[in-house]
Amino acid sequence: MRDAFLPRVLARIRGPLAVGACGVVAAGMIYGGQAQAVQPPRDGVRAGAQADPEDAPLIDSGSAAGRKFRSSGRLVGGGGTTCTATLVHAPGKPDPGAKAIVLSNGHCVSDTMKTNEVVVDQPAGPDWSFTPAYFHDNAAEHKAFPVERVAYATMKGIDVSVLQLSATYGELARLDVTPRTLATARPAPGTPLQAAHAPTDGVDPDRRYLRLSACKVTASSVALHEYTWLWRDFTRTDCLGISGGSSGGPVTTASGEQIVGMLNTVSTPGYLGCGLGRPCEGSASGLVVPKDNTVYATPVDAVASCLDGTGLRLDRSGCRLDRGEQVDVASSGQHTQSNTPQGPARWDARVTPRKDAHHAYAAFKTGPFGAVDCTDPRGYTRPRPLPATGLAYTELLPKHDNLYVLCAVGGPDARLGGGEWAKSLAHPSYAYARVDNTPPTVAPQVDIQQFGTGADSSYWVRPVYMPWEITSYKVKYGPKGGTDCSDPEGYRPYLGVPASLKGSEGPWTYCAIGYDNADNPTPPSAFTIG
């Protein structure tokens, strides 16, 4: 495996994402920092293309769409990162004196959330705010309300956050901003949709306001994997004009008022395979790579099940949101070939009991992501004792290429049944591993920069990463007549320092072998320089 090189690639691609909450540019989850233009691969990473926000026209405040989406607007998080959020409430008139809550994505709270992390009732940052009715033609009305608390946030199985404002529903009502309700069912394939969102990336500063995408559902109940997250029951759409800042944008049916989903992530053009910026759908036969600009929406029916007249209540009867009470699972999320230098590939997960929970035993089940149902008790192992120090799970991984999920649940005894086990099975914890025996589907590329001409010329040469097919390289170079790229001797890992070659000593041969995250190599490629 070449995971040691992956963080450097991520740092080049992710921008602000690598250092804290929110801020990816033109890659996957659609929340923004400062807008940046896509550049050629001068940093050693092939750039992705951005969606064109002009495919989603600006919403006029006085239009029908403006009246419909007046409760939505700009969410600003830590460090000035941006998403879209919507004022929400349970059906019925809210108490004017109650603190208002808004709905957005979990990654708008923190993009560093772990696979199984759940945040409940935590203070928000001092610079977080929500500006409703965020249209281009009513700037005089714009008013930012501080976000006071993170009532709930998770990226475990779903990507959602519920945020409490310092303002009340009554204060917002005086600005003609009233809450939306959430649908309790998901839209069926073919359903026409409307999505309101305020993109920032690739958008001129004076046009970063709410826009409208008209689209439809292309699939429902999709199992979706992106980076370290495993999501279920997502909606696939053909919405256009989605870019950074759109995350959390409310999705409704074309004729309805209730929110049926939230814009979540997009398959970024220019990226390959599956990874950050390139979500893939799980299936029994392997990960399915969606076409470019495919947009996915987070379901909201689980949030709806936890809302009542007093706000978000995780202890409400029938509430289906995960409270974060299940076992902890630590895992590398490895990408591996089925056979490694250490032998057949194995799971590398460690399960520990959650504090103050009845986790004296643990049970496990594995299978292809998107095909295995971790909430179904069928197929689980017999519960085994779970010590306070934890339990390692190192069973063999399957040999066939796919993304596999490890389902882990904790309970009070060795009998997988009864009330406590039923609660555990409702919200199992996950680990995943990618078995990949397939070499990259693209050949290595290099970026060559020439300085000067003639005898005074020199060259800087570096290989180009192509996420997520080529994420690391081995290289060597030398005089053209004496350098054989097919000879394995002399190759060394590329560590990010370009080769500096003098034109007077050329011509040169630069050899490159690309590797994916599972250490599958490309054939060597030869490049003549000078």
Side-chain angles (χ1 to χ4, degrees):
M1 293 179 64
R2 298 189 173 270
D3 291 341
F5 302 106
L6 183 57
R8 186 168 55 258
V9 180
L10 283 174
R12 291 190 176 96
I13 296 169
R14 294 165 71 186
L17 179 59
V19 296
C22 302
V24 95
V25 176
M29 296 182 299
I30 39 181
Y31 51 109
Q34 295 181 347
Q36 300 179 18
V38 175
Q39 299 295 328
R42 293 305 185 197
D43 58 356
V45 179
R46 189 176 73 174
Q50 283 187 323
D52 184 358
E54 296 304 326
D55 287 334
L58 287 163
I59 300 174
D60 295 333
S61 59
S63 67
R67 293 187 293 273
K68 180 176 180 177
F69 291 106
R70 192 170 175 81
S71 56
S72 299
R74 167 67 67 228
L75 176 66
V76 177
T81 55
T82 56
C83 282
T84 305
T86 303
L87 183 71
V88 296
H89 192 267
K93 189 175 181 180
D95 176 357
K99 294 289 183 70
I101 58 173
V102 297
L103 179 70
S104 193
N105 285 152
H107 69 257
C108 295
V109 169
S110 172
D111 58 35
T112 60
M113 280 191 184
K114 299 176 183 178
T115 307
N116 297 294
E117 185 175 356
V118 178
V119 176
V120 177
D121 193 25
Q122 296 293 319
D127 53 351
W128 292 23
S129 67
F130 170 66
T131 305
Y134 197 67
F135 305 113
H136 71 103
D137 58 352
N138 69 336
E141 296 182 42
H142 293 174
K143 182 177 180 179
F145 294 93
V147 176
E148 190 172 75
R149 300 193 70 77
V150 179
Y152 185 84
T154 192
M155 296 178 72
K156 179 185 177 184
I158 190 175
D159 186 4
V160 67
S161 64
V162 179
L163 309 174
Q164 179 181 297
L165 306 181
S166 62
T168 65
Y169 285 105
E171 291 175 80
L172 290 162
R174 286 193 285 273
L175 299 177
D176 195 24
V177 175
T178 54
R180 303 291 287 276
T181 58
L182 308 182
T184 57
R186 301 177 198 122
T191 302
L193 302 173
Q194 288 185 329
H197 52 103
T200 56
D201 295 345
V203 184
D204 291 338
D206 61 350
R207 297 180 65 80
R208 297 175 187 170
Y209 301 102
L210 284 172
R211 295 173 176 267
L212 185 69
S213 294
C215 40
K216 67 178 182 299
V217 177
T218 58
S220 58
S221 298
V222 171
L224 197 65
H225 169 61
E226 183 173 2
Y227 192 41
T228 64
W229 303 293
L230 305 170
W231 299 316
R232 59 180 185 269
D233 297 326
F234 271 39
T235 298
R236 190 204 307 142
T237 80
D238 60 2
C239 298
L240 295 177
I242 310 299
S243 75
S246 297
S247 272
V251 180
T252 73
T253 61
S255 59
E257 292 290 326
Q258 284 192 318
I259 297 175
V260 299
M262 290 182 294
L263 296 174
N264 166 258
T265 190
V266 61
S267 184
T268 309
Y271 292 173
L272 306 170
C274 304
L276 185 68
R278 198 73 178 182
C280 284
E281 299 178 16
S283 77
S285 58
L287 285 170
V288 178
V289 181
K291 65 180 182 180
D292 290 352
N293 289 318
T294 298
V295 172
Y296 294 90
T298 302
V300 297
D301 52 296
V303 181
S305 72
C306 305
L307 292 177
D308 68 9
T310 65
L312 184 75
R313 283 187 50 203
L314 297 180
D315 61 350
R316 183 174 186 257
S317 177
C319 174
R320 292 187 283 109
L321 287 176
D322 189 335
R323 299 189 199 180
E325 298 174 345
Q326 252 308 300
V327 291
D328 288 313
V329 180
S331 174
S332 67
Q334 61 180 318
H335 290 222
T336 180
Q337 297 174 27
S338 56
N339 290 297
T340 75
Q342 294 75 38
R346 293 177 175 273
W347 286 97
D348 64 347
R350 186 167 188 83
V351 180
T352 53
R354 188 82 61 174
K355 291 182 179 179
D356 303 323
H358 301 293
H359 297 156
Y361 288 78
F364 304 93
K365 179 166 69 171
T366 65
F369 175 65
V372 64
D373 180 0
C374 293
T375 66
D376 187 341
R378 291 173 297 181
Y380 271 92
T381 63
R382 180 180 177 84
R384 62 187 73 172
L386 178 60
T389 54
L391 175 68
Y393 188 88
T394 58
E395 303 299 317
L396 290 174
L397 281 164
K399 294 184 177 297
H400 300 292
D401 285 19
N402 208 337
L403 182 76
Y404 296 95
V405 61
L406 168 65
C407 319
V409 292
D413 51 44
R415 299 181 301 277
L416 189 62
E420 288 297 326
W421 279 110
K423 287 170 58 178
S424 297
L425 286 164
H427 299 293
S429 293
Y430 310 107
Y432 68 89
R434 173 89 179 269
V435 175
D436 181 3
N437 298 296
T438 305
T441 59
V442 291
Q445 296 180 17
V446 295
D447 174 36
I448 304 171
Q449 298 182 54
Q450 180 176 353
F451 303 91
T453 58
D456 295 328
S457 65
S458 63
Y459 302 88
W460 277 12
V461 186
R462 56 184 159 189
V464 177
Y465 298 107
M466 288 174 279
W468 294 102
E469 285 294 292
I470 297 180
T471 57
S472 67
Y473 277 95
K474 285 185 177 179
V475 300
K476 68 176 181 178
Y477 48 87
K480 182 178 179 180
T483 304
D484 180 4
C485 292
S486 63
D487 182 356
E489 188 69 27
Y491 277 96
R492 63 187 185 278
Y494 176 69
L495 301 178
V497 180
S500 180
L501 309 179
K502 293 182 179 180
S504 60
E505 299 177 5
W508 298 83
T509 293
Y510 188 96
C511 307
I513 301 174
Y515 294 82
D516 60 21
N517 287 340
D519 211 18
N520 295 295
T522 67
S525 292
F527 303 89
T528 300
I529 300 162

